[in-house]
Amino acid sequence: MQVGIDAMAFSTSRYFLRLDTLAKNRNVDCAKYCIGIGQLKMSVFPPNEDIVTIAISAAQKVMARLVNKNEIDVLIFATESSFDLSKSAGIYVHHFLGLRPDCRVFDVKQACYSVTAALQLARSFVKDNPDSKVLVIGSDILKYSAGSSGEPTQGGAAIAIIVAKNPRLMIVEQHFSTYTTEIMDFWRPIEEGEALFDGKLSAQNYLQSLEITFLGYLKKSDLTPSDIDQVCFHAPFSKMAIKARNKTFADKSIDDTLIYNAIIGNSCSASLYVCLISLLDNSGDDLDGKRIGLFSYGSGSVAEFFSCTVVSGYRHMLSAEENRKMLEDRIEVSFEEYEQFCKNQADPGKKYANVGSIRMVRVENKQRIYERRIAG
Ligand code: HMG
């Protein structure tokens, strides 16, 4: 029995900041951001949008691909931007999607690696329970401190994936290679809203983890690099993925994988899968039956190299036009507005646009209050 990704969708903020605007205001040469790190824009989030609201937006899109929402037996929410140490963010998604009360819900965390962990868990679960479907969500909003070298590599998005038998999009293959090592390259202590990092160490460890897991994958699978048709990397910023490509598949273009990432920024747990959707949506090649190598990296650190094969007829399961429109229709913010968003401040005279149908309206008694948006 084949198990894999039956459907997949993503959402991001309705707002973005141009990186040349950031560069001008930080007295940095624009070319450093646009060419040196390879990013053009980044998603920025208004006070009424958070990891739950964007997750619900992505989940609603993917649920539209199912005949019956009651088919979902498990919901796994992967995030490193959680606002609660106890309650799972997945419970809000379960509530607003109206899933069955006997659906199992929990969160997982391991930096940007967490969706891959959830995907592999879901695959095993479906192998044991062939009639079950699992909804895997990854949702993150990444903030670094203003003026830090990490600032141009912020971003955020949510990915929603349905894992099922006889998938209509991609089969997750059985071979994988993981690598875990204790390292302080990126972390966010409980009391901090912004991530702390050692940029050079993180890039070095990312590449070393790639080398180890890629060789491990080839050994375990008995495949050679020429058996892999396309490759997709976790992309904290586009140049990082290009460096990864140069180390492993220098003869292959990964341009199609980075089209969305270059204008969204680092979406952490969702990043690899946003790159995968970008490839499927934008590749001019017919990817039917092609093997895609995937490299997932989460600081701290855990990495994994694994692969998927594209299912024949996969194009019917894509929403390329909708994805492009969502990104094109975003609203540009000024530098001043970006600074307000960073402090989570709302302009009292302004009604902010949301990507989906749910918005966060206020925090009351330290509880987040969400409500359904009235259309229009
Ligand atoms: P920096 O120190 O500001 O930049 O940090 P730099 O001096 O290294 O320059 C960056 C590149 O721009 C260099 O290119 C420069 O040459 C070039 P490279 O040598 O690397 O090819 N450059 C220019 N190019 C054109 N015109 C110019 C110019 N000036 C310089 N005028 C850094 C950059 C990415 C390190 C920083 O933004 C950072 O630390 N970001 C956060 C950490 C990060 O993203 N690490 C990535 C690996 S870890 C990971 O992926 C996990 C993560 O997603 C978190 C998780 O797992 O949860 C982050």
PDB file of all heavy atoms in Angstrom, residues 271-307:
ATOM      1  N   SER A 271       8.552  25.919   5.522  1.00  0.00           N
ATOM      2  CA  SER A 271       9.416  26.361   4.418  1.00  0.00           C
ATOM      3  C   SER A 271       9.660  25.288   3.337  1.00  0.00           C
ATOM      4  O   SER A 271       9.448  25.534   2.145  1.00  0.00           O
ATOM      5  CB  SER A 271      10.748  26.850   4.991  1.00  0.00           C
ATOM      6  OG  SER A 271      11.732  26.882   4.006  1.00  0.00           O
ATOM      7  N   LEU A 272      10.108  24.110   3.753  1.00  0.00           N
ATOM      8  CA  LEU A 272      10.428  23.063   2.765  1.00  0.00           C
ATOM      9  C   LEU A 272       9.207  22.742   1.901  1.00  0.00           C
ATOM     10  O   LEU A 272       9.313  22.511   0.693  1.00  0.00           O
ATOM     11  CB  LEU A 272      10.903  21.797   3.503  1.00  0.00           C
ATOM     12  CG  LEU A 272      11.125  20.554   2.643  1.00  0.00           C
ATOM     13  CD1 LEU A 272      12.262  20.764   1.645  1.00  0.00           C
ATOM     14  CD2 LEU A 272      11.434  19.334   3.528  1.00  0.00           C
ATOM     15  N   TYR A 273       8.034  22.762   2.526  1.00  0.00           N
ATOM     16  CA  TYR A 273       6.813  22.336   1.833  1.00  0.00           C
ATOM     17  C   TYR A 273       6.251  23.465   0.960  1.00  0.00           C
ATOM     18  O   TYR A 273       5.633  23.186  -0.080  1.00  0.00           O
ATOM     19  CB  TYR A 273       5.811  21.779   2.863  1.00  0.00           C
ATOM     20  CG  TYR A 273       6.474  20.601   3.562  1.00  0.00           C
ATOM     21  CD1 TYR A 273       7.252  20.785   4.719  1.00  0.00           C
ATOM     22  CD2 TYR A 273       6.454  19.343   2.987  1.00  0.00           C
ATOM     23  CE1 TYR A 273       7.949  19.728   5.309  1.00  0.00           C
ATOM     24  CE2 TYR A 273       7.140  18.273   3.559  1.00  0.00           C
ATOM     25  CZ  TYR A 273       7.891  18.474   4.716  1.00  0.00           C
ATOM     26  OH  TYR A 273       8.592  17.424   5.274  1.00  0.00           O
ATOM     27  N   VAL A 274       6.513  24.714   1.344  1.00  0.00           N
ATOM     28  CA  VAL A 274       6.173  25.837   0.458  1.00  0.00           C
ATOM     29  C   VAL A 274       7.066  25.737  -0.790  1.00  0.00           C
ATOM     30  O   VAL A 274       6.612  25.952  -1.922  1.00  0.00           O
ATOM     31  CB  VAL A 274       6.352  27.196   1.184  1.00  0.00           C
ATOM     32  CG1 VAL A 274       6.258  28.359   0.205  1.00  0.00           C
ATOM     33  CG2 VAL A 274       5.314  27.361   2.302  1.00  0.00           C
ATOM     34  N   CYS A 275       8.338  25.354  -0.587  1.00  0.00           N
ATOM     35  CA  CYS A 275       9.250  25.177  -1.737  1.00  0.00           C
ATOM     36  C   CYS A 275       8.768  24.030  -2.632  1.00  0.00           C
ATOM     37  O   CYS A 275       8.855  24.113  -3.864  1.00  0.00           O
ATOM     38  CB  CYS A 275      10.669  24.897  -1.254  1.00  0.00           C
ATOM     39  SG  CYS A 275      11.451  26.320  -0.485  1.00  0.00           S
ATOM     40  N   LEU A 276       8.251  22.990  -2.014  1.00  0.00           N
ATOM     41  CA  LEU A 276       7.755  21.847  -2.791  1.00  0.00           C
ATOM     42  C   LEU A 276       6.530  22.255  -3.625  1.00  0.00           C
ATOM     43  O   LEU A 276       6.433  21.928  -4.820  1.00  0.00           O
ATOM     44  CB  LEU A 276       7.408  20.705  -1.816  1.00  0.00           C
ATOM     45  CG  LEU A 276       6.923  19.391  -2.381  1.00  0.00           C
ATOM     46  CD1 LEU A 276       7.904  18.811  -3.395  1.00  0.00           C
ATOM     47  CD2 LEU A 276       6.706  18.380  -1.242  1.00  0.00           C
ATOM     48  N   ILE A 277       5.623  23.012  -3.017  1.00  0.00           N
ATOM     49  CA  ILE A 277       4.452  23.484  -3.779  1.00  0.00           C
ATOM     50  C   ILE A 277       4.918  24.407  -4.905  1.00  0.00           C
ATOM     51  O   ILE A 277       4.414  24.338  -6.032  1.00  0.00           O
ATOM     52  CB  ILE A 277       3.437  24.217  -2.864  1.00  0.00           C
ATOM     53  CG1 ILE A 277       2.837  23.251  -1.836  1.00  0.00           C
ATOM     54  CG2 ILE A 277       2.317  24.857  -3.701  1.00  0.00           C
ATOM     55  CD1 ILE A 277       1.789  23.866  -0.902  1.00  0.00           C
ATOM     56  N   SER A 278       5.898  25.242  -4.604  1.00  0.00           N
ATOM     57  CA  SER A 278       6.417  26.164  -5.621  1.00  0.00           C
ATOM     58  C   SER A 278       6.949  25.380  -6.829  1.00  0.00           C
ATOM     59  O   SER A 278       6.692  25.738  -7.990  1.00  0.00           O
ATOM     60  CB  SER A 278       7.522  27.024  -4.985  1.00  0.00           C
ATOM     61  OG  SER A 278       8.043  27.932  -5.898  1.00  0.00           O
ATOM     62  N   LEU A 279       7.653  24.290  -6.552  1.00  0.00           N
ATOM     63  CA  LEU A 279       8.172  23.445  -7.642  1.00  0.00           C
ATOM     64  C   LEU A 279       7.026  22.854  -8.456  1.00  0.00           C
ATOM     65  O   LEU A 279       7.010  22.942  -9.693  1.00  0.00           O
ATOM     66  CB  LEU A 279       9.040  22.320  -7.055  1.00  0.00           C
ATOM     67  CG  LEU A 279       9.443  21.209  -8.026  1.00  0.00           C
ATOM     68  CD1 LEU A 279      10.400  21.749  -9.088  1.00  0.00           C
ATOM     69  CD2 LEU A 279      10.101  20.036  -7.292  1.00  0.00           C
ATOM     70  N   LEU A 280       6.047  22.260  -7.762  1.00  0.00           N
ATOM     71  CA  LEU A 280       4.936  21.593  -8.474  1.00  0.00           C
ATOM     72  C   LEU A 280       4.138  22.602  -9.293  1.00  0.00           C
ATOM     73  O   LEU A 280       3.744  22.340 -10.431  1.00  0.00           O
ATOM     74  CB  LEU A 280       4.015  20.881  -7.473  1.00  0.00           C
ATOM     75  CG  LEU A 280       4.642  19.740  -6.662  1.00  0.00           C
ATOM     76  CD1 LEU A 280       3.660  19.225  -5.616  1.00  0.00           C
ATOM     77  CD2 LEU A 280       5.099  18.588  -7.552  1.00  0.00           C
ATOM     78  N   ASP A 281       3.898  23.793  -8.689  1.00  0.00           N
ATOM     79  CA  ASP A 281       3.099  24.822  -9.383  1.00  0.00           C
ATOM     80  C   ASP A 281       3.829  25.402 -10.597  1.00  0.00           C
ATOM     81  O   ASP A 281       3.198  25.742 -11.594  1.00  0.00           O
ATOM     82  CB  ASP A 281       2.833  26.009  -8.442  1.00  0.00           C
ATOM     83  CG  ASP A 281       1.684  25.763  -7.465  1.00  0.00           C
ATOM     84  OD1 ASP A 281       1.073  24.692  -7.522  1.00  0.00           O
ATOM     85  OD2 ASP A 281       1.414  26.669  -6.644  1.00  0.00           O
ATOM     86  N   ASN A 282       5.149  25.555 -10.489  1.00  0.00           N
ATOM     87  CA  ASN A 282       5.861  26.379 -11.465  1.00  0.00           C
ATOM     88  C   ASN A 282       6.732  25.617 -12.458  1.00  0.00           C
ATOM     89  O   ASN A 282       7.209  26.215 -13.428  1.00  0.00           O
ATOM     90  CB  ASN A 282       6.709  27.429 -10.733  1.00  0.00           C
ATOM     91  CG  ASN A 282       5.821  28.410  -9.983  1.00  0.00           C
ATOM     92  OD1 ASN A 282       5.052  29.149 -10.599  1.00  0.00           O
ATOM     93  ND2 ASN A 282       5.893  28.398  -8.661  1.00  0.00           N
ATOM     94  N   SER A 283       6.952  24.320 -12.215  1.00  0.00           N
ATOM     95  CA  SER A 283       7.815  23.576 -13.130  1.00  0.00           C
ATOM     96  C   SER A 283       7.134  23.412 -14.494  1.00  0.00           C
ATOM     97  O   SER A 283       5.975  23.003 -14.565  1.00  0.00           O
ATOM     98  CB  SER A 283       8.136  22.198 -12.538  1.00  0.00           C
ATOM     99  OG  SER A 283       8.860  21.465 -13.498  1.00  0.00           O
ATOM    100  N   GLY A 284       7.866  23.722 -15.528  1.00  0.00           N
ATOM    101  CA  GLY A 284       7.344  23.534 -16.899  1.00  0.00           C
ATOM    102  C   GLY A 284       7.389  22.064 -17.288  1.00  0.00           C
ATOM    103  O   GLY A 284       6.768  21.648 -18.267  1.00  0.00           O
ATOM    104  N   ASP A 285       8.162  21.252 -16.527  1.00  0.00           N
ATOM    105  CA  ASP A 285       8.296  19.821 -16.864  1.00  0.00           C
ATOM    106  C   ASP A 285       7.107  19.040 -16.337  1.00  0.00           C
ATOM    107  O   ASP A 285       6.502  19.419 -15.341  1.00  0.00           O
ATOM    108  CB  ASP A 285       9.550  19.235 -16.202  1.00  0.00           C
ATOM    109  CG  ASP A 285      10.812  19.888 -16.708  1.00  0.00           C
ATOM    110  OD1 ASP A 285      10.764  20.447 -17.829  1.00  0.00           O
ATOM    111  OD2 ASP A 285      11.812  19.880 -15.977  1.00  0.00           O
ATOM    112  N   ASP A 286       6.839  17.932 -17.007  1.00  0.00           N
ATOM    113  CA  ASP A 286       5.829  17.017 -16.476  1.00  0.00           C
ATOM    114  C   ASP A 286       6.524  16.187 -15.388  1.00  0.00           C
ATOM    115  O   ASP A 286       7.467  15.442 -15.673  1.00  0.00           O
ATOM    116  CB  ASP A 286       5.325  16.118 -17.615  1.00  0.00           C
ATOM    117  CG  ASP A 286       4.235  15.179 -17.128  1.00  0.00           C
ATOM    118  OD1 ASP A 286       3.875  15.250 -15.944  1.00  0.00           O
ATOM    119  OD2 ASP A 286       3.758  14.367 -17.953  1.00  0.00           O
ATOM    120  N   LEU A 287       6.063  16.309 -14.169  1.00  0.00           N
ATOM    121  CA  LEU A 287       6.744  15.634 -13.055  1.00  0.00           C
ATOM    122  C   LEU A 287       6.138  14.261 -12.717  1.00  0.00           C
ATOM    123  O   LEU A 287       6.542  13.638 -11.749  1.00  0.00           O
ATOM    124  CB  LEU A 287       6.723  16.540 -11.813  1.00  0.00           C
ATOM    125  CG  LEU A 287       7.452  17.882 -11.975  1.00  0.00           C
ATOM    126  CD1 LEU A 287       7.283  18.746 -10.727  1.00  0.00           C
ATOM    127  CD2 LEU A 287       8.933  17.684 -12.258  1.00  0.00           C
ATOM    128  N   ASP A 288       5.194  13.799 -13.526  1.00  0.00           N
ATOM    129  CA  ASP A 288       4.580  12.476 -13.314  1.00  0.00           C
ATOM    130  C   ASP A 288       5.658  11.411 -13.062  1.00  0.00           C
ATOM    131  O   ASP A 288       6.548  11.234 -13.892  1.00  0.00           O
ATOM    132  CB  ASP A 288       3.835  12.039 -14.588  1.00  0.00           C
ATOM    133  CG  ASP A 288       2.366  12.369 -14.527  1.00  0.00           C
ATOM    134  OD1 ASP A 288       1.978  13.178 -13.674  1.00  0.00           O
ATOM    135  OD2 ASP A 288       1.616  11.819 -15.362  1.00  0.00           O
ATOM    136  N   GLY A 289       5.562  10.729 -11.937  1.00  0.00           N
ATOM    137  CA  GLY A 289       6.478   9.616 -11.659  1.00  0.00           C
ATOM    138  C   GLY A 289       7.886  10.033 -11.253  1.00  0.00           C
ATOM    139  O   GLY A 289       8.743   9.180 -11.017  1.00  0.00           O
ATOM    140  N   LYS A 290       8.159  11.322 -11.184  1.00  0.00           N
ATOM    141  CA  LYS A 290       9.524  11.777 -10.857  1.00  0.00           C
ATOM    142  C   LYS A 290       9.793  11.671  -9.357  1.00  0.00           C
ATOM    143  O   LYS A 290       8.897  11.884  -8.535  1.00  0.00           O
ATOM    144  CB  LYS A 290       9.735  13.234 -11.290  1.00  0.00           C
ATOM    145  CG  LYS A 290       9.507  13.468 -12.765  1.00  0.00           C
ATOM    146  CD  LYS A 290      10.685  12.979 -13.578  1.00  0.00           C
ATOM    147  CE  LYS A 290      10.520  13.315 -15.039  1.00  0.00           C
ATOM    148  NZ  LYS A 290      11.090  12.378 -15.948  1.00  0.00           N
ATOM    149  N   ARG A 291      11.064  11.371  -9.034  1.00  0.00           N
ATOM    150  CA  ARG A 291      11.473  11.303  -7.623  1.00  0.00           C
ATOM    151  C   ARG A 291      12.038  12.666  -7.211  1.00  0.00           C
ATOM    152  O   ARG A 291      12.906  13.216  -7.887  1.00  0.00           O
ATOM    153  CB  ARG A 291      12.523  10.215  -7.436  1.00  0.00           C
ATOM    154  CG  ARG A 291      13.094  10.203  -6.014  1.00  0.00           C
ATOM    155  CD  ARG A 291      14.052   9.041  -5.767  1.00  0.00           C
ATOM    156  NE  ARG A 291      13.370   7.774  -5.669  1.00  0.00           N
ATOM    157  CZ  ARG A 291      13.562   6.744  -6.484  1.00  0.00           C
ATOM    158  NH1 ARG A 291      14.430   6.845  -7.472  1.00  0.00           N
ATOM    159  NH2 ARG A 291      12.896   5.626  -6.326  1.00  0.00           N
ATOM    160  N   ILE A 292      11.526  13.177  -6.083  1.00  0.00           N
ATOM    161  CA  ILE A 292      11.997  14.464  -5.556  1.00  0.00           C
ATOM    162  C   ILE A 292      12.715  14.223  -4.232  1.00  0.00           C
ATOM    163  O   ILE A 292      12.138  13.653  -3.296  1.00  0.00           O
ATOM    164  CB  ILE A 292      10.813  15.447  -5.361  1.00  0.00           C
ATOM    165  CG1 ILE A 292      10.110  15.637  -6.709  1.00  0.00           C
ATOM    166  CG2 ILE A 292      11.302  16.780  -4.798  1.00  0.00           C
ATOM    167  CD1 ILE A 292       8.956  16.594  -6.689  1.00  0.00           C
ATOM    168  N   GLY A 293      13.964  14.625  -4.164  1.00  0.00           N
ATOM    169  CA  GLY A 293      14.728  14.519  -2.915  1.00  0.00           C
ATOM    170  C   GLY A 293      14.409  15.727  -2.054  1.00  0.00           C
ATOM    171  O   GLY A 293      14.326  16.848  -2.556  1.00  0.00           O
ATOM    172  N   LEU A 294      14.220  15.505  -0.753  1.00  0.00           N
ATOM    173  CA  LEU A 294      13.834  16.617   0.136  1.00  0.00           C
ATOM    174  C   LEU A 294      14.772  16.690   1.331  1.00  0.00           C
ATOM    175  O   LEU A 294      15.024  15.661   1.995  1.00  0.00           O
ATOM    176  CB  LEU A 294      12.396  16.400   0.633  1.00  0.00           C
ATOM    177  CG  LEU A 294      11.357  16.469  -0.485  1.00  0.00           C
ATOM    178  CD1 LEU A 294      10.295  15.415  -0.318  1.00  0.00           C
ATOM    179  CD2 LEU A 294      10.725  17.841  -0.527  1.00  0.00           C
ATOM    180  N   PHE A 295      15.274  17.889   1.609  1.00  0.00           N
ATOM    181  CA  PHE A 295      16.143  18.067   2.780  1.00  0.00           C
ATOM    182  C   PHE A 295      15.468  18.995   3.774  1.00  0.00           C
ATOM    183  O   PHE A 295      15.166  20.149   3.472  1.00  0.00           O
ATOM    184  CB  PHE A 295      17.505  18.648   2.372  1.00  0.00           C
ATOM    185  CG  PHE A 295      18.375  18.939   3.576  1.00  0.00           C
ATOM    186  CD1 PHE A 295      18.836  17.895   4.382  1.00  0.00           C
ATOM    187  CD2 PHE A 295      18.718  20.237   3.913  1.00  0.00           C
ATOM    188  CE1 PHE A 295      19.621  18.153   5.512  1.00  0.00           C
ATOM    189  CE2 PHE A 295      19.500  20.504   5.039  1.00  0.00           C
ATOM    190  CZ  PHE A 295      19.953  19.461   5.848  1.00  0.00           C
ATOM    191  N   SER A 296      15.253  18.446   4.978  1.00  0.00           N
ATOM    192  CA  SER A 296      14.594  19.192   6.046  1.00  0.00           C
ATOM    193  C   SER A 296      15.632  19.466   7.131  1.00  0.00           C
ATOM    194  O   SER A 296      16.376  18.550   7.520  1.00  0.00           O
ATOM    195  CB  SER A 296      13.462  18.304   6.587  1.00  0.00           C
ATOM    196  OG  SER A 296      12.768  18.930   7.618  1.00  0.00           O
ATOM    197  N   TYR A 297      15.688  20.722   7.608  1.00  0.00           N
ATOM    198  CA  TYR A 297      16.654  21.062   8.677  1.00  0.00           C
ATOM    199  C   TYR A 297      15.979  21.917   9.729  1.00  0.00           C
ATOM    200  O   TYR A 297      15.298  22.893   9.413  1.00  0.00           O
ATOM    201  CB  TYR A 297      17.845  21.845   8.081  1.00  0.00           C
ATOM    202  CG  TYR A 297      18.819  22.287   9.158  1.00  0.00           C
ATOM    203  CD1 TYR A 297      19.769  21.404   9.664  1.00  0.00           C
ATOM    204  CD2 TYR A 297      18.764  23.571   9.704  1.00  0.00           C
ATOM    205  CE1 TYR A 297      20.640  21.784  10.684  1.00  0.00           C
ATOM    206  CE2 TYR A 297      19.623  23.960  10.722  1.00  0.00           C
ATOM    207  CZ  TYR A 297      20.569  23.062  11.205  1.00  0.00           C
ATOM    208  OH  TYR A 297      21.418  23.431  12.217  1.00  0.00           O
ATOM    209  N   GLY A 298      16.152  21.541  10.977  1.00  0.00           N
ATOM    210  CA  GLY A 298      15.654  22.364  12.083  1.00  0.00           C
ATOM    211  C   GLY A 298      16.777  22.590  13.066  1.00  0.00           C
ATOM    212  O   GLY A 298      17.386  21.638  13.583  1.00  0.00           O
ATOM    213  N   SER A 299      17.075  23.838  13.328  1.00  0.00           N
ATOM    214  CA  SER A 299      18.193  24.194  14.205  1.00  0.00           C
ATOM    215  C   SER A 299      18.104  23.499  15.544  1.00  0.00           C
ATOM    216  O   SER A 299      17.027  23.161  16.029  1.00  0.00           O
ATOM    217  CB  SER A 299      18.197  25.709  14.421  1.00  0.00           C
ATOM    218  OG  SER A 299      18.704  26.341  13.274  1.00  0.00           O
ATOM    219  N   GLY A 300      19.264  23.317  16.115  1.00  0.00           N
ATOM    220  CA  GLY A 300      19.301  22.769  17.469  1.00  0.00           C
ATOM    221  C   GLY A 300      20.039  21.472  17.677  1.00  0.00           C
ATOM    222  O   GLY A 300      20.653  21.314  18.707  1.00  0.00           O
ATOM    223  N   SER A 301      20.044  20.483  16.786  1.00  0.00           N
ATOM    224  CA  SER A 301      19.476  20.459  15.437  1.00  0.00           C
ATOM    225  C   SER A 301      19.087  19.033  15.038  1.00  0.00           C
ATOM    226  O   SER A 301      19.673  18.077  15.535  1.00  0.00           O
ATOM    227  CB  SER A 301      20.495  20.968  14.390  1.00  0.00           C
ATOM    228  OG  SER A 301      21.589  20.056  14.318  1.00  0.00           O
ATOM    229  N   VAL A 302      18.080  18.928  14.187  1.00  0.00           N
ATOM    230  CA  VAL A 302      17.718  17.643  13.561  1.00  0.00           C
ATOM    231  C   VAL A 302      17.556  17.885  12.058  1.00  0.00           C
ATOM    232  O   VAL A 302      16.942  18.883  11.651  1.00  0.00           O
ATOM    233  CB  VAL A 302      16.390  17.060  14.117  1.00  0.00           C
ATOM    234  CG1 VAL A 302      16.086  15.709  13.462  1.00  0.00           C
ATOM    235  CG2 VAL A 302      16.448  16.881  15.639  1.00  0.00           C
ATOM    236  N   ALA A 303      18.111  16.980  11.265  1.00  0.00           N
ATOM    237  CA  ALA A 303      17.975  17.086   9.807  1.00  0.00           C
ATOM    238  C   ALA A 303      17.547  15.734   9.249  1.00  0.00           C
ATOM    239  O   ALA A 303      17.759  14.699   9.875  1.00  0.00           O
ATOM    240  CB  ALA A 303      19.307  17.493   9.198  1.00  0.00           C
ATOM    241  N   GLU A 304      16.921  15.793   8.079  1.00  0.00           N
ATOM    242  CA  GLU A 304      16.512  14.534   7.429  1.00  0.00           C
ATOM    243  C   GLU A 304      16.537  14.712   5.918  1.00  0.00           C
ATOM    244  O   GLU A 304      16.088  15.738   5.397  1.00  0.00           O
ATOM    245  CB  GLU A 304      15.082  14.157   7.889  1.00  0.00           C
ATOM    246  CG  GLU A 304      14.557  12.883   7.251  1.00  0.00           C
ATOM    247  CD  GLU A 304      13.336  12.293   7.989  1.00  0.00           C
ATOM    248  OE1 GLU A 304      13.189  12.556   9.199  1.00  0.00           O
ATOM    249  OE2 GLU A 304      12.556  11.585   7.344  1.00  0.00           O
ATOM    250  N   PHE A 305      17.064  13.699   5.235  1.00  0.00           N
ATOM    251  CA  PHE A 305      16.949  13.640   3.772  1.00  0.00           C
ATOM    252  C   PHE A 305      16.030  12.468   3.456  1.00  0.00           C
ATOM    253  O   PHE A 305      16.225  11.367   3.958  1.00  0.00           O
ATOM    254  CB  PHE A 305      18.322  13.443   3.113  1.00  0.00           C
ATOM    255  CG  PHE A 305      18.300  13.772   1.647  1.00  0.00           C
ATOM    256  CD1 PHE A 305      18.739  15.010   1.182  1.00  0.00           C
ATOM    257  CD2 PHE A 305      17.787  12.871   0.712  1.00  0.00           C
ATOM    258  CE1 PHE A 305      18.685  15.338  -0.175  1.00  0.00           C
ATOM    259  CE2 PHE A 305      17.713  13.194  -0.649  1.00  0.00           C
ATOM    260  CZ  PHE A 305      18.177  14.438  -1.084  1.00  0.00           C
ATOM    261  N   PHE A 306      15.004  12.728   2.672  1.00  0.00           N
ATOM    262  CA  PHE A 306      14.080  11.667   2.284  1.00  0.00           C
ATOM    263  C   PHE A 306      13.573  11.966   0.879  1.00  0.00           C
ATOM    264  O   PHE A 306      14.048  12.920   0.235  1.00  0.00           O
ATOM    265  CB  PHE A 306      12.926  11.538   3.299  1.00  0.00           C
ATOM    266  CG  PHE A 306      11.983  12.724   3.367  1.00  0.00           C
ATOM    267  CD1 PHE A 306      10.675  12.623   2.907  1.00  0.00           C
ATOM    268  CD2 PHE A 306      12.384  13.940   3.904  1.00  0.00           C
ATOM    269  CE1 PHE A 306       9.789  13.687   2.976  1.00  0.00           C
ATOM    270  CE2 PHE A 306      11.508  15.031   3.979  1.00  0.00           C
ATOM    271  CZ  PHE A 306      10.221  14.899   3.509  1.00  0.00           C
ATOM    272  N   SER A 307      12.656  11.176   0.392  1.00  0.00           N
ATOM    273  CA  SER A 307      12.199  11.429  -0.983  1.00  0.00           C
ATOM    274  C   SER A 307      10.727  11.085  -1.158  1.00  0.00           C
ATOM    275  O   SER A 307      10.155  10.323  -0.383  1.00  0.00           O
ATOM    276  CB  SER A 307      13.032  10.619  -1.987  1.00  0.00           C
ATOM    277  OG  SER A 307      12.967   9.253  -1.666  1.00  0.00           O
TER     278      SER A 307
END
